Amino acid sequence: MKVMVSGVAAVLLVTLATNAFAAQFPAGYTLCPKDDQKCLFERIAGTFAKHAAGIPAIDLVSLDPLKISKMDIVQGGDGPINIVLNFKNVDLTGLSQSVVKKANGFTANPTKMELGILVPVTSLVGGYKINGKVLILPIQGEGKSNMTMENNHIQLKWTGKLVDRSGKQYYQLDKLKATFDTTRFHMHFSNLFNGDKALGDNMNVFLNENWQDILKELKPAIIDAFVKIFQSVITSVFNKVPYNELFQ
């Protein structure tokens, strides 16, 4: 699922790229020294707030909305939820309001890094297709969807090391973990059960009344998807820019 994982990873991408290509930005835009957590907080927060529409100078896409072409949540097995949920051409909104909570590990010789943010309201809106079972009920449909999380705490932790390449040092990411928590999870799927309004309305009510149980079951699958997309995006950043060029 390129969900939220795309959202946060894209923010990290913008933050790093902004530092790396500071010469293309207005006068007064400064690089952060390594280990300067206060500066990192300010720079990442500024990226969320000031560059939500993207940075054309370095071909960085819009962060709010962040456009996602494809995202999948697959939950199988014998548990109470067994679904295949495919998203296509969806927008992730809300990242411009993110609050940075943690940014650690950006040191001279980095091994472990960590980024934590709080997003007050995160919405994923666009096309969906679903088939399977949710708790005791079958579910199927294809149309437009809206999945919204309130007070979404997202945390990324990864390990890696510096490696030499063409006379420069690059950070090589080895393993990444992601977690998230939310105080409310809203769901709405249009055109469920081939457009049967009564069945669709009842299913949407059921989903939202049981959101805690549903999210508990889906969380491992969502996090799994987060990790895949986060790792791909973060790796591409560190592979492109020598580590020392990301800082003062």
Side-chain angles (χ1 to χ4, degrees):
M1 161 181 174
K2 295 182 183 178
V3 194
M4 308 165 112
V5 238
S6 289
V8 179
V11 169
L12 179 60
L13 169 61
V14 173
T15 301
L16 294 177
T18 297
N19 283 331
F21 298 95
Q24 299 186 34
F25 287 81
Y29 198 99
T30 58
L31 298 171
C32 289
K34 298 184 185 76
D35 296 312
D36 189 338
Q37 185 164 316
K38 182 176 183 295
C39 180
L40 283 170
F41 266 53
E42 292 173 352
R43 194 67 66 248
I44 296 172
T47 299
F48 280 114
K50 298 177 183 178
H51 302 297
I55 308 175
I58 52 176
D59 296 326
L60 289 172
V61 299
S62 167
L63 293 177
D64 199 351
L66 176 67
K67 296 193 174 293
I68 302 165
S69 60
K70 183 181 178 182
M71 178 182 78
D72 300 313
I73 300 175
V74 179
Q75 176 70 23
D78 298 324
I81 295 181
N82 193 320
I83 63 168
V84 175
L85 176 55
N86 309 117
F87 292 98
K88 187 176 181 180
N89 297 326
V90 293
D91 288 344
L92 180 68
T93 64
L95 290 175
S96 61
Q97 303 301 312
S98 297
V99 178
V100 180
K101 292 295 186 178
K102 190 175 292 186
N104 294 328
F106 297 86
T107 62
N109 187 24
T111 53
K112 297 179 181 179
M113 292 185 177
E114 183 175 8
L115 179 67
I117 63 171
L118 167 63
V119 189
V121 179
T122 310
S123 294
L124 188 70
V125 181
Y128 86 93
K129 183 177 181 179
I130 191 171
N131 189 56
K133 180 189 73 171
V134 176
L135 301 181
I136 60 173
L137 300 177
I139 184 172
Q140 65 88 14
E142 183 174 1
K144 298 295 183 181
S145 65
N146 185 325
M147 297 177 67
T148 296
M149 294 186 184
E150 298 177 10
N151 300 312
N152 193 17
H153 292 261
I154 302 172
Q155 183 166 287
L156 300 175
K157 293 182 179 180
W158 62 91
T159 59
K161 60 187 177 183
L162 294 179
V163 295
D164 290 322
R165 198 168 77 224
S166 301
K168 295 185 177 181
Q169 287 195 313
Y170 292 79
Y171 183 82
Q172 178 179 289
L173 189 150
D174 295 325
K175 187 176 182 180
L176 182 145
K177 294 182 179 179
T179 61
F180 76 92
D181 288 294
T182 182
T183 59
R184 188 66 171 89
F185 184 36
H186 303 273
M187 293 163 279
H188 185 269
F189 298 95
S190 68
N191 200 46
L192 287 169
F193 305 107
N194 300 314
D196 188 311
K197 188 176 186 306
L199 287 176
D201 289 348
N202 286 336
M203 175 56 74
N204 277 306
V205 169
F206 177 81
L207 293 174
N208 285 286
E209 287 180 345
N210 295 277
W211 72 270
Q212 289 175 307
D213 292 332
I214 292 170
L215 184 59
K216 181 180 178 181
E217 292 295 322
L218 287 181
K219 213 173 208 185
I222 293 175
I223 289 175
D224 212 33
F226 278 9
V227 166
K228 291 177 183 176
I229 207 63
F230 289 161
Q231 186 148 345
S232 174
V233 175
I234 294 174
T235 297
S236 69
V237 175
F238 284 123
N239 280 343
K240 180 178 181 181
V241 184
Y243 186 73
N244 282 337
E245 293 181 17
L246 300 174
F247 303 93
Q248 233 176 48

